[in-house]
């Protein structure tokens, strides 16, 4: 795996964004303000609890580590099923949030591809692939474990390309432009949708990341858009984490993340595995 020094920043970034958003999921825009982790709320979880977004990102990372940085789609699918049935990759074994398409796909073994299956459930877990050599076809197959609609697969490919540009040190507005997208950052807030559609989430997350330079400001902006708060902030947080580095993520939010020892362990294993592979 590549860029493993930035892996912790990316994984903490997405997990902190997710956990900040969990208590506010489905809330209407401008009916609340974010001030650090909140206990209870929408899903009745203790403060600093991540949801399916982070759990499935950790499962994806674990699969990459177990397969020496390579994508094994069947292995990844099994780990997603382990999350759903046994609560692996959660802070306390509890699965309290699972998208319909993800649940259906993991129970049937087939990713959803209908017109009504253009949700953000694969976009939210794709960040670890930026640290692998996975090509577009492979990224599409990883999306298709749960989300096989071309719109979802293409969004995941785009997201990995954007994350790789950020890992290479490109400014985010340059990365957005070089991927052929317009100046998303100039869109007025009222035009930014924060529902569960994959294109809404991707645009909203890019808008937050391209309009802020501070990690917390980015994820707070994302959560305060309302509706699918955890996923918008998760996708934005992965980018903001890479942009600011681990030191840009407030230590209180990192330490306050329930179950972060699991995240630390996977990140350390990825770095160690990479180091040992690079030795003669
Ligand atoms: Mg979630």
């Amino acid at each position: 795996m590549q860029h493993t020094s930035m892996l912790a920043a990316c994984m903490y970034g997405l997990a902190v964004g997710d956990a900040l958003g969990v208590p506010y999921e489905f809330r209407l825009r401008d009916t609340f303000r974010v001030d650090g982790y909140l206990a209870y709320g929408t899903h009745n979880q203790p403060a600093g609890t991540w949801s399916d977004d982070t759990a499935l990102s950790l499962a994806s990372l674990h699969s990459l580590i177990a397969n020496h940085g390579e994508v094994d789609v069947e292995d990844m699918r099994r780990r997603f099923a382990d999350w759903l049935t046994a609560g692996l990759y959660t802070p306390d074994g509890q699965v309290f949030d699972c998208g319909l398409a993800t649940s259906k796909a993991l129970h049937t073994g087939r990713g959803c591809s209908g017109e009504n299956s253009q949700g953000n459930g694969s976009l939210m877990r794709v960040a670890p692939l930026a640290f692998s050599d996975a090509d577009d076809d492979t990224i599409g197959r990883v999306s298709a474990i749960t989300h096989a609609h071309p719109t979802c697969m293409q969004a995941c490919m785009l997201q990995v390309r954007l994350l790789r540009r950020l890992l290479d040190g490109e400014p985010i507005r340059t990365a957005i432009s070089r991927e052929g997208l317009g100046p998303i950052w100039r869109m007025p807030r009222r035009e930014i949708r924060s529902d569960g559609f994959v294109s809404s989430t991707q645009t909203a997350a890019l808008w937050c990341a391209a309009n802020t330079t501070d990690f917390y400001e980015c994820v707070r902006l994302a959560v305060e858009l309302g509706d699918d708060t955890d996923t918008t902030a998760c996708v934005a947080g992965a980018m903001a984490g890479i942009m600011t580095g681990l030191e840009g993520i407030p230590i209180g939010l990192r330490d306050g993340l329930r179950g972060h020892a699991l995240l630390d362990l996977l990140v350390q294993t990825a770095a160690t595995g990479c180091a040992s592979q690079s030795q003669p």
Side-chain angles (χ1 to χ4, degrees), residues 18 22 25 43 51-54 96-98 124 228 230-231:
D18 179 10
V22 161
E25 192 174 10
H43 295 284
S51 72
D52 50 346
D53 310 53
T54 301
F96 59 88
D97 186 19
C98 179
M124 71 185 192
D228 203 348
D230 57 325
T231 301

Side-chain angles (χ1 to χ4, degrees), residues 1 19 80 123 137-138 188 198-200:
M1 294 176 72
F80 294 173
L123 180 71
D137 177 64
T138 306
V198 65
S199 48
S200 303

Side-chain angles (χ1 to χ4, degrees), residues 54-161:
T54 301
L56 291 173
S57 297
L58 290 171
S60 301
L61 175 60
H62 197 189
S63 180
L64 287 172
I65 293 168
N67 290 284
H68 311 288
E70 301 289 322
V71 170
D72 179 331
V73 169
E74 286 311 312
D75 179 82
M76 230 174 242
R77 188 198 316 275
R78 277 194 296 275
R79 291 174 198 276
F80 294 173
D82 286 344
W83 160 74
L84 187 58
T85 58
L88 264 62
Y89 309 108
T90 65
D92 51 15
Q94 306 289 322
V95 177
F96 59 88
D97 186 19
C98 179
L100 285 176
T102 296
S103 172
K104 190 174 170 192
L106 293 179
H107 280 115
T108 62
R110 283 172 54 92
C112 300
S113 59
E115 277 306 300
N116 294 326
S117 301
Q118 299 183 51
N120 54 23
S122 58
L123 180 71
M124 71 185 192
R125 59 170 165 80
V126 84
L129 291 189
F131 298 83
S132 78
D133 292 328
D135 60 14
D136 276 355
D137 177 64
T138 306
I139 295 163
R141 287 190 293 115
V142 168
S143 172
I145 295 171
T146 55
H147 291 69
H149 193 286
T151 304
C152 302
M153 293 163 66
Q154 282 157 14
C156 288
M157 296 172 201
L158 171 62
Q159 194 64 26
V160 171
R161 287 198 301 270

Side-chain angles (χ1 to χ4, degrees), residues 2-3 161-171 242:
Q2 302 159 0
H3 295 293
R161 287 198 301 270
L162 286 163
L163 288 165
R164 285 176 177 157
R165 288 185 182 278
L166 299 180
L167 286 168
D168 286 339
E170 245 178 49
I242 291 171

Side-chain angles (χ1 to χ4, degrees), residues 21 24-27 52-53 97 119-121 124 193-197 201 222-223 225-234:
Y24 301 102
E25 192 174 10
F26 311 126
R27 291 277 297 272
D52 50 346
D53 310 53
D97 186 19
N120 54 23
M124 71 185 192
R193 297 168 57 124
S194 50
D195 53 43
F197 285 105
T201 305
V223 174
L225 290 172
D227 203 349
D228 203 348
T229 48
D230 57 325
T231 301
T232 308
C234 173

